[in-house]
Every structure is written in structure tokens, then in C-alpha cells.
Amino acid sequence: MAKLTSSTTHGVLLLPLCLLLLHIFSPALSLETTKLRGSCVASERDALLTFKEGINTLHGSLLSSWEGQDCCRWRGVLCSNKTGHVVKLDLRVDPDEFPWASISSNISPSLLTLEHLNYLDLSSNNFGGQQIPKFIGSFKNLKYLSLSDAGFRGSVPPQLGNLTKLLHLDLGGNYYLQLVDLVAWLPHLSSLKHLDMSYVNLSAAVDWVQALSMLPASLRILDLSDCNLNATLASLPLYSSNLTSLVTLYLYDNYFYGPIPDWLLGNMTSLEELWLGGNDLVGMIPETMKNLHKLKVLDLGWNQINGDIAELMERLPHKIQSLYLGGNNLNGSLPNWIDNMTSLSTLDLGYNSLTGSIPSGMGKLNNLSYLDLSYNQLVGMILEDHFTSLTRLEILDLSTNSLTMGVHPNWIPPFKLKKVDLSYCKLGPHFPAWIQSQTNITSLVMSSAGITDKLPNWFWNIISQIQNLDLSLNQISGVLPMTLEFLSTAKSIILHSNKFEGRLPKLPMGLWYLDLSRNYISGPLPLNLGSIELSYLLLLNNLINGTIPSFLCNQLQSLEVLDLSNNHLSGQLPECWTSGNSFRVKNDWRDVGCYLVMANFYNNSLSGKFPLFFRSCQQLSFLDLSYNNFTENLPAWIGTRLPNLVFLLLKSNMFSGYIPIKLSKLDQLQVLDLSHNNLSGTIDPSLLKFKAMTLTSPYTSDLNTLAANIVESIDSNSDPFSLFVITKGQILEYQNDKIFFLLSLDLSGNSLTGEIPKQIGALAGLKNLNLSSNRLIGNIPQTMNGLLSLESLDLSNNELFGEIPPTLSVLTFLSHLNLSYNNLSGRIPSGGQLETFLDPTIYIGNNNLCGPPTSKNCSGNQTTMSDLPEHEDGYDMSSFYLSMGLGFAMGFWMIFGTLLFKRTWRTTYFLFVDDICDRMYVFMVLKWARLNARIKKK
């Protein structure tokens, strides 16, 4: 056997030692291997489970994965690959995935066990108004903290200042946070690179300017948008601060005012994005703006920036990419050299006062993807040259200008638009053929574009991705498809004021807005409308006939606005949520699914009693059943179950019985029209307690906020929201927000009896009062002088008697008056507003009225100008005035010298003489009238 070498001997001796060491340290190696695989530390797992137990998570799948031993595999938990400790906790909520997800309850301090945590995100949850826990300031290793949009309120704990390693802090979207003492904690975050306090009310933080000046030089992104900051930009310490490395600055939607100082941005040469939109800035941008060579995005939209657009663009850095200047006061023409700004990708100049034509050089901006020139005063032709190199253009808005599209019929654009708005541009008379190439389009608006053509057959095929379609206010003809279900992404379809024919098509499932008003849609309404999300259904002024199917209540659970007026509908409205003749009462009106705010069935042939299903529509603000054949009594529950009614129009039906007194509970009611029905009984005084009608400016009050939302929510391009009222002797149409300035009470054309209650004078805001064509008796109340806003008063065709109250003369806004065909008597009062009514027909049919403007003279014991009393002893007052005149003449020279040197005497004397002259003038006029009267008698 060969002799063992020295090295072999050593190896043999070391082998048992290695095996021993392996046995001893194998548990540690096993633990390290486990940590490398991501298995979490047991104490940290327990801390997370304790945190989970202390919260209530809606849509529990957010934390449904928090089971088992390996917390490093739980959703939102990240562990270190080296140590196994939890280093990241990301519990932010994706609104698209969990639109209603929320966490409510206390955040357990058990999280403090996560000592190695450097990333914490609780954003987009809902902590129900809790305060930010103070213990968050104990995470000494935290580098990323996001608590945005999480429903926190109260004071921000100053302990956040302990997070000296923090690089990213986001408190944005917590509207009720109180950031009072910023200096106490904010400047201590010496490593901060990203600070977001957007949508947090900083108006109470008096030290916000000081805190801003103390921010670290490391800061790259600062977001103070919509923080209710009210100051001049000159007060910002941007020039003198350490923020020389700032890359992005958000200050939009605040109350900054005044000009932008030349020195404001100073040495902030690293700035790439500056967002100042939605403030009150004025003047021209400073020339120093051009020194920000790295600036790529500038937002000054919706301010009051003024001046020439060409001068402004000369002051911009050459390589600006996104320029938002919409909603300002810019004027002048776009410069011809605009083609030099080749870096532009976004150009928003909408809502200004730009004039002239669009330079053809615009077509050379090959990076342009967003172009908005809407709502200006641009003129001229749009040619193919304007789009030559715009291969990246996706959004184009040229609406509301005086532009004419002059491209060749066979032109194929170089771009693929996603959104286009060419409303009020001249595109017709033919339907623009170039649209056929735009197969990616999601929003197409060409309203009032002068198109009088037939809709091409290819049109419906190329808008398969459409979300918003508006071809309104043209004369486009064609038959609508039987179904529009293939437009699966459509949300809004507006085709009103055209010549479309056919039946109402089946709608896309997700459609929420449909306006086919003022077309030739015919046939009955479909039994299945298709969409279950429809909120706005506007079909007025068509040829639709038949009955209204039950889809109104069974399918349209989200319906808010329904307008079927001016059609040929007949029969009764569906009972909807009723069971036989008895209404099915539920604990909450929302249970029955009625969200109607506006319902208009004006001018059809509908019949039956007042529809019961409205009883569940407590948000109903506008209801018009006028010009139909509804019968029976008006239910008293209108006044209690419909508390938000602002407009109740039941004109020209066959309603009978008394007017329910409970209608007076409708505090927001501005227009009540019950005219031309078969109503009887008296006008109960307690009925005249409509709160909104007592206000002289109801539109500025908080009463009709819900009603105002009707007009605001209806698209501006939709058929105008109209209200027809008989006032001032004619039918007047009130459109859109003008209806909220109307307050009207019309009970005419019924069989009402009794007297006009004196309480009517309390309706100080009323503008139109019509009680004509009833059987009212008694005097016209003297209290009508309280109707201070009244513009039209019609009491004709009744049985009123007595004198016309002179107090009507104080109604200074009254422009229409009709008192004809009553039994009124006496002299027609004069003076004030009554002097303006010169038409005698407004008093016709009152045989015992006399005086102007009628031709009948007053006589007998009635008071006339010729019957004014003389002195009681028969002595003519002329002798008194004559002797007074002689006395003054004799004493004139006696006192003349004194008057010259005594100012107070002079003033008193001449005032006295003026009064005497006035009296003598009246006396002479009356004497002359008496003399003429005696001559006529002889």
C-alpha cells in the first residue's frame, strides 16, 4: 500500500470536522434558504393578520389572499429576498377593479412590528374620516408613503417629520385634512423628492409660504394643485428657495392672481413641467419664460392671460411640447412661423378670441397629436395642406368657428383620429367622405355642420368603437337600423334635429344618453329597449304612437330624464311598482328604483288617472303632463311624496275635484299650472304658502339645486330644455336656465269659486298670476300690492266686483293686465304703473267702470277732478292767494336787503316761494277744469 501524502492526511482529518460543522449549522442554513425563497417572519405575519382583523374590507377579495403561513405571497406584501422581512405594503385600491372598495376602522398599531418597512401605500381606500395614525411617524426606514384619496381628516400628525429618509410623500385628495402648522414637520423631511398635497385645503395654513421656502433642495416634484391657495405668484419664494432641482410644479386650480413676475422662476432651470391652469392670472407671460430651456409642458389654461398670441408664442422655449392656453383672453392671429415649433405634441388654444385663418404651416407639425382651436373667431378654409404631416394627430377640435372644410371628396387623411369635434364648421352639404377612413374614432361631433345629405351606408360600420356620437342640428336623412347593439362601447348618441326615419332601434347595453328629438321616428316604442343603464331618454317631437310599455320602470332603473312630449302616444302610463290597485309600499323609496328628475309627456293622448308610479320618484323636479286626457282627482300625496318638485304642469287635461291643500308643502315649487281642467271648489288660503314663490330671487337660493342639475346635466348640444307658459297674453317659451327665473301660478280655465284669498299677496316672487275664466267673486284683494315681482296679471272672465284697488299702481314690473269681463265698478285708478296701460280692452265687460283709458266719464257721487271741495264757508280761495301775492310784493323791498346778506333766510324764503307757486299752479288747473265743465253743461 502506497504511503499517504501529507495533503491526503490533512484531508482525511478535516472530513469529520466538516461533517460536524454541517450538522451544527444546518438549521441556520435552512432558515436562510427559506428567507431567500421569500418566506416571511412569523412575528410580522401575525402583525399583518392583526391588522386584517381590525378592518372591514368591502369586496373582500382585496385581502382574500392573506391566508397561509407565507405572508410574502400575500397580495400587496413584498419581502426582502435576503432577510425575509416585510419591506413593502401596497394596499392601494384600483378604482377600476374595486370601485366601491373601502377600509373602515382603526389602522392597527401592530404594523409597527414591520420595522424594516420602507414602502407603505394605503391610497384610494376609505378610512371614513379617521385621523392619520401618529405611529406612522415611527417607521424610521420609510422611503415611500402614500395616503392619497383615503378619506383621512383632522390634523396631520407632526410625527411625520420623523421620517427623515422619506423620498415620496403623497397626502393628496384628502379634502378634510387640516394642514395648519406645516413648518412643524414638513421642513424636517430633508430627503424628500416628491411631495403631493393636491386637493388638500391649505387655506388655514398661514405658514405655507414659509414652509415652501424651507423645502429641501432634493425636491423634484411638488404638487399643490387645488389647495385653495389665495395669493399672488409674486409671494411665492420660488426665486429665493433651494428648489433649483425642481422638475415638475403643479399649482393649478387655486386662487393665484395678478401677473406672472419676470423673476418668479429665477434659477429653476431644471423645470420641465409647469402647471398654472385654473387660476386668475392676468397679463402676458414674462420674457424670462424663454430661459427655461428644459420646459416641455406649460399649462396656463383658464386664467385671464391676455395679449397677442404671436407675441406669447415668441416668449416660449423653442422645444415646448405641450401648451395649454385654452380659456383665456388671447387675441390676434396664429403666426405663420408656427411650423418652427416642431416639438409641439399638444396645442390647446380653445375658448379665446383668436381671429384670422389657420396658417397652413400647422400641417408641418409632425409631432402634433392634440389640437384644440375651438370657440374662437377663426375664419377661412380648411384645406388638405393643413394636415399634410399630421400623421400622429388623434384629437382634433375646431368647433364653434367660422371655418369651411374644403378638402377633395376623395381625400384620405394621413391621421387616424380618436376624437373629433367639428360642430358649427361648414362641412356640408354632403356628408364628409373622409370620415370613412377614421376607423379608430371614439368620439365624433359634427353638430350644426350644414349637412343635408343622406347618411352613407358605410357610416355605422366605421364607428364600431364609438363612445360619443353627435350629428345633431343638421338635415341628415335615412332610416335608422333596427338595432344599434353592435355599438357595444357607445355611451352617448345625440341625433336630434335631423330627418331620421324608422322605429326606435334596440340600444347598446351600456348606453346612458340618447337624444333622437325632432326627427321622424315612428311606430310604437319597443317592448325591450336594450340598454339597462339609460339615464337620459329624449324622444320629443317625433311621430311615435301606441302605448308606453312597462320597460320604463322594469328596465330603466337608472332613468333620470325622460322626454316623450309632442308625440302620438295613447293609453295609460304603466303601473310599474304597483300591485293591482294598491301601491306596494317599501321601506326606502330607492328600493323601487325610481331616480327620475324630469318627466315630460306634454301633448300626447295619454289617459287614466294621475300615474301612481310617480309616488316613488322623490327626486322628481320637473313633471309635465299637459295637453293629455288624464282624469279624476289630483292625489294629495303629490305634496308629500314629491318634495323636490319645482315645475308641476298639468294644463289642459280633465282633472276634477278640489285642489289638494297639501300641494302647499312643495317648498321648491316655482311653476304650478293647473289651467284648463275641471277643478272646482275654492282657493284655500293655506294653499298659497309656496315658499319658493315668496322669494324674489329663487334662482340664487339653495332651494332648487336639484332642478338646476337638470339643465346642467343635459348636454349643451341636446335639444333645448323648454317650458311653455301662457303669460303676458301670449304663449312664451323659456329655454334652458331661463326657466329658473320664472315663477308662475296658473289656475285659469277651471270652475273655481269663492274669493281670491288675501294671502296671495305673500307670493312676492311671483311673475305670472292667471286666475282667469273661473267663477271667482268678491273684491280684488288690496294685498296684491305685495306681488312686487309680478309682470303679468290676468283676472278676466270671473265675477269679481267692487273697485279696482289703487295699490296695483305700485307693481312696477307689471307689463300685462287683464281685468275684462267681471263686475268691477268705479273709477279706474291712475298713477304709477297703471298709467302705462292705455288699451281699454283690458277693462272691457265691466259696465260700471269709468275713466281713462275707457271712453266712459265718471259722474254722480263719484269723485272727479271738477268736484274737489272749495273753502267750507263758500268763500273762493282765490282771494286768499291774491292777498298773499300782494303782501309779498309790498314786503319785497323791506326784506330784500336782509335776504342778500343772510344765507339761511334766503334758502328758507325761496323754498317757501316754490311751494306757493306749486299750490297756485294746482289751483289754476282745477279752476280751469271747473270752468270748462260749467260751459259744457250750459
Side-chain angles (χ1 to χ4, degrees):
M1 190 174 182
K3 187 178 181 180
L4 294 174
T5 64
S6 174
S7 59
T8 303
T9 304
H10 291 159
V12 172
L13 294 175
L14 288 173
L15 179 60
L17 180 61
C18 291
L19 291 173
L20 179 62
L21 292 174
L22 181 63
H23 176 74
I24 293 173
F25 291 104
S26 59
L29 292 174
S30 176
L31 176 61
E32 186 63 29
T33 303
T34 302
K35 290 178 179 179
L36 289 174
R37 291 176 182 171
S39 180
C40 68
V41 179
S43 60
E44 295 182 349
R45 179 181 62 248
D46 294 341
L48 290 173
L49 291 175
T50 302
F51 167 76
K52 179 183 178 182
E53 291 175 359
I55 65 176
N56 173 29
T57 306
L58 301 180
H59 294 275
S61 57
L62 186 64
L63 297 181
S64 61
S65 66
W66 284 30
E67 295 179 351
Q69 297 299 311
D70 190 359
C71 68
C72 294
R73 297 180 181 271
W74 295 353
R75 180 173 180 173
V77 179
L78 181 67
C79 300
S80 169
N81 287 332
K82 294 181 179 181
T83 65
H85 288 294
V86 175
V87 295
K88 181 176 181 179
L89 191 58
D90 186 353
L91 298 181
R92 71 183 185 276
V93 173
D94 183 353
D96 294 330
E97 185 179 4
F98 301 112
W100 303 106
S102 65
I103 296 177
S104 58
S105 188
N106 292 324
I107 302 175
S108 174
S110 65
L111 292 180
L112 285 174
T113 304
L114 311 179
E115 295 179 358
H116 299 272
L117 195 69
N118 59 48
Y119 187 108
L120 178 59
D121 191 340
L122 300 175
S123 60
S124 298
N125 284 285
N126 180 9
F127 289 98
Q130 298 181 43
Q131 285 193 324
I132 296 176
K134 296 179 181 179
F135 68 79
I136 289 182
S138 300
F139 290 108
K140 298 298 179 64
N141 293 310
L142 209 59
K143 295 181 179 179
Y144 183 103
L145 176 60
S146 180
L147 304 176
S148 63
D149 300 300
F152 288 112
R153 69 189 312 158
S155 300
V156 174
Q159 287 81 0
L160 291 187
N162 298 331
L163 305 177
T164 56
K165 294 183 180 180
L166 202 62
L167 303 177
H168 182 112
L169 176 60
D170 189 349
L171 301 176
N174 293 289
Y175 304 102
Y176 301 106
L177 273 183
Q178 298 176 12
L179 296 176
V180 181
D181 190 1
L182 291 173
V183 175
W185 60 273
L186 187 58
H188 299 290
L189 306 180
S190 56
S191 302
L192 208 58
K193 291 186 177 181
H194 183 126
L195 176 61
D196 187 341
M197 292 194 292
S198 59
Y199 301 95
V200 176
N201 190 348
L202 297 180
S203 60
V206 294
D207 60 347
W208 68 268
V209 174
Q210 182 184 0
L212 190 64
S213 66
M214 300 170 68
L215 288 172
S218 58
L219 200 66
R220 299 289 185 273
I221 299 175
L222 175 61
D223 192 343
L224 297 177
S225 54
D226 206 346
C227 290
N228 288 298
L229 299 176
N230 191 341
T232 63
L233 284 181
S235 65
L236 296 182
L238 298 179
Y239 181 78
S240 57
S241 68
N242 297 322
L243 302 179
T244 57
S245 300
L246 203 62
V247 174
T248 302
L249 177 59
Y250 295 98
L251 296 174
Y252 62 81
D253 290 343
N254 281 288
Y255 298 98
F256 290 113
Y257 57 90
I260 305 175
D262 288 344
W263 47 264
L264 175 70
L265 304 173
N267 53 3
M268 299 175 64
T269 54
S270 298
L271 204 61
E272 295 181 6
E273 297 185 25
L274 178 58
W275 301 81
L276 295 172
N279 285 286
D280 293 313
L281 304 176
V282 299
M284 176 59 67
I285 66 172
E287 294 183 5
T288 52
M289 190 76 72
K290 202 164 189 174
N291 298 332
L292 303 179
H293 299 294
K294 294 184 179 181
L295 193 66
K296 297 177 181 178
V297 179
L298 176 61
D299 176 17
L300 289 170
W302 303 100
N303 280 281
Q304 300 179 44
I305 304 296
N306 53 49
D308 187 84
I309 182 61
E311 179 184 357
L312 184 146
M313 298 183 83
E314 284 181 348
R315 299 185 176 195
L316 296 174
H318 182 67
K319 294 186 178 181
I320 193 83
Q321 294 179 6
S322 297
L323 182 60
Y324 299 93
L325 294 171
N328 281 287
N329 300 319
L330 295 170
N331 53 44
S333 302
L334 288 168
N336 293 325
W337 47 261
I338 195 172
D339 54 358
N340 294 329
M341 305 182 73
T342 54
S343 298
L344 270 179
S345 62
T346 297
L347 179 59
D348 183 356
L349 298 173
Y351 291 87
N352 277 285
S353 301
L354 304 183
T355 56
S357 59
I358 300 176
S360 59
M362 189 78 73
K364 297 180 182 180
L365 303 178
N366 57 356
N367 286 308
L368 201 62
S369 63
Y370 182 110
L371 176 61
D372 186 350
L373 301 176
S374 62
Y375 288 86
N376 278 286
Q377 301 165 27
L378 300 173
V379 297
M381 299 287 290
I382 300 295
L383 304 173
E384 297 172 20
D385 291 345
H386 289 94
F387 305 103
T388 303
S389 300
L390 303 187
T391 57
R392 300 183 182 182
L393 193 64
E394 294 183 345
I395 298 176
L396 175 64
D397 192 345
L398 303 177
S399 62
T400 319
N401 284 287
S402 298
L403 299 170
T404 300
M405 203 76 160
V407 298
H408 193 274
N410 297 327
W411 176 60
I412 298 178
F415 47 70
K416 290 287 187 181
L417 294 175
K418 291 183 178 179
K419 297 182 180 180
V420 57
D421 190 344
L422 299 173
S423 55
Y424 295 92
C425 294
K426 179 67 173 177
L427 305 181
H430 300 296
F431 197 92
W434 61 269
I435 294 292
Q436 187 173 3
S437 65
Q438 304 303 300
T439 54
N440 296 335
I441 206 157
T442 61
S443 178
L444 175 60
V445 181
M446 297 192 301
S447 64
S448 192
I451 303 173
T452 58
D453 199 3
K454 184 177 180 180
L455 194 69
N457 294 329
W458 49 259
F459 177 75
W460 299 108
N461 295 326
I462 63 100
I463 62 168
S464 58
Q465 302 180 51
I466 201 74
Q467 296 179 8
N468 173 40
L469 173 64
D470 186 353
L471 302 178
S472 62
L473 294 166
N474 287 287
Q475 294 297 314
I476 303 173
S477 59
V479 178
L480 293 179
M482 292 294 293
T483 178
L484 294 176
E485 292 176 291
F486 58 90
L487 302 178
S488 57
T489 59
K491 300 297 181 184
S492 173
I493 297 178
I494 302 174
L495 302 175
H496 76 81
S497 305
N498 281 289
K499 295 183 178 180
F500 288 112
E501 302 177 33
R503 295 191 174 189
L504 182 65
K506 196 171 183 180
L507 304 177
M509 182 66 70
L511 192 73
W512 68 274
Y513 197 113
L514 177 67
D515 188 351
L516 288 173
S517 307
R518 302 186 192 278
N519 280 284
Y520 297 101
I521 307 300
S522 59
L525 293 169
L527 297 177
N528 183 359
L529 201 55
S531 174
I532 60 174
E533 299 183 13
L534 203 62
S535 295
Y536 297 81
L537 179 58
L538 307 174
L539 300 174
L540 59 147
N541 290 81
N542 277 288
L543 305 173
I544 302 172
N545 57 26
T547 60
I548 298 177
S550 60
F551 77 76
L552 280 180
C553 38
N554 297 335
Q555 290 181 275
L556 305 181
Q557 297 292 308
S558 302
L559 197 62
E560 297 180 18
V561 175
L562 173 65
D563 197 335
L564 297 173
S565 60
N566 283 305
N567 278 284
H568 303 305
L569 296 166
S570 59
Q572 299 185 16
L573 288 176
E575 291 187 351
C576 293
W577 304 284
T578 63
S579 178
N581 293 325
S582 62
F583 186 80
R584 193 167 64 224
V585 180
K586 303 224 175 178
N587 293 331
D588 190 337
W589 63 271
R590 294 179 180 84
D591 293 341
V592 298
C594 181
Y595 294 93
L596 273 176
V597 177
M598 169 188 167
N600 193 349
F601 299 93
Y602 173 91
N603 195 25
N604 281 282
S605 298
L606 298 170
S607 58
K609 58 184 179 181
F610 192 92
L612 268 178
F613 80 81
F614 286 132
R615 189 175 181 178
S616 298
C617 304
Q618 294 200 10
Q619 295 191 74
L620 194 63
S621 183
F622 181 102
L623 177 60
D624 193 345
L625 301 178
S626 302
Y627 292 97
N628 281 284
N629 300 314
F630 290 104
T631 58
E632 299 191 24
N633 296 349
L634 292 176
W637 54 257
I638 296 176
T640 55
R641 297 301 294 262
L642 304 179
N644 290 300
L645 268 182
V646 180
F647 306 96
L648 179 58
L649 306 159
L650 306 178
K651 177 186 180 73
S652 296
N653 280 282
M654 292 181 285
F655 289 115
S656 57
Y658 297 158
I659 301 175
I661 297 176
K662 287 188 177 180
L663 290 184
S664 62
K665 295 183 178 295
L666 299 174
D667 286 343
Q668 302 194 53
L669 197 67
Q670 287 184 208
V671 176
L672 175 61
D673 191 343
L674 304 179
S675 62
H676 299 281
N677 280 280
N678 298 322
L679 299 172
S680 57
T682 62
I683 303 175
D684 195 288
S686 60
L687 179 66
L688 303 176
K689 295 181 180 179
F690 301 114
K691 184 176 180 180
M693 295 185 186
T694 65
L695 304 176
T696 54
S697 299
Y699 186 68
T700 59
S701 72
D702 296 329
L703 287 178
N704 59 8
T705 303
L706 184 62
N709 289 338
I710 303 174
V711 173
E712 294 175 2
S713 59
I714 294 181
D715 192 277
S716 59
N717 290 325
S718 289
D719 202 47
F721 183 75
S722 299
L723 176 64
F724 292 91
V725 175
I726 297 181
T727 180
K728 302 180 182 179
Q730 55 189 320
I731 300 178
L732 296 182
E733 180 181 11
Y734 293 79
Q735 289 189 352
N736 296 338
D737 58 349
K738 292 181 180 179
I739 68 173
F740 296 110
F741 293 95
L742 175 65
L743 290 92
S744 174
L745 177 60
D746 192 342
L747 305 179
S748 63
N750 285 285
S751 299
L752 300 177
T753 57
E755 297 185 351
I756 301 175
K758 62 181 180 180
Q759 289 81 358
I760 201 166
L763 305 181
L766 204 61
K767 295 189 176 183
N768 176 52
L769 176 60
N770 193 341
L771 302 178
S772 66
S773 300
N774 281 286
R775 300 174 185 173
L776 299 173
I777 61 173
N779 296 320
I780 298 175
Q782 296 278 351
T783 56
M784 278 198 172
N785 63 345
L787 303 178
L788 300 177
S789 304
L790 201 64
E791 298 175 3
S792 177
L793 174 62
D794 192 343
L795 303 178
S796 63
N797 289 283
N798 280 287
E799 300 172 13
L800 301 172
F801 53 78
E803 295 185 348
I804 300 173
T807 53
L808 292 182
S809 63
V810 303
L811 304 181
T812 55
F813 292 104
L814 195 64
S815 59
H816 177 81
L817 176 66
N818 192 350
L819 301 178
S820 63
Y821 298 102
N822 280 283
N823 297 317
L824 300 171
S825 59
R827 173 180 292 279
I828 297 173
S830 59
Q833 194 67 10
L834 294 178
E835 294 285 354
T836 64
F837 297 113
L838 304 178
D839 182 6
T841 62
I842 66 176
Y843 302 107
I844 196 173
N846 293 279
N847 296 329
N848 294 319
L849 281 179
C850 63
T854 69
S855 58
K856 185 176 181 180
N857 293 324
C858 296
S859 59
N861 59 359
Q862 298 164 350
T863 301
T864 65
M865 295 178 69
S866 60
D867 296 326
L868 291 177
E870 296 181 349
H871 197 270
E872 59 182 1
D873 61 358
Y875 186 78
D876 199 321
M877 292 290 292
S878 59
S879 58
F880 169 76
Y881 287 111
L882 180 61
S883 60
M884 182 181 292
L886 292 173
F888 276 109
M890 293 175 61
F892 177 78
W893 292 108
M894 183 187 303
I895 64 175
F896 180 73
T898 306
L899 291 178
L900 284 177
F901 299 102
K902 194 70 172 176
R903 181 178 178 181
T904 56
W905 285 29
R906 286 201 309 272
T907 302
T908 303
Y909 170 74
F910 286 117
L911 288 175
F912 177 70
V913 171
D914 285 343
D915 180 62
I916 294 300
C917 290
D918 290 342
R919 291 176 180 269
M920 293 183 65
Y921 173 78
V922 172
F923 168 75
M924 295 301 297
V925 169
L926 293 176
K927 290 293 291 182
W928 184 255
R930 287 185 61 196
L931 180 61
N932 283 337
R934 290 173 180 173
I935 293 175
K936 290 181 180 179
K937 287 181 180 180
K938 293 180 179 180

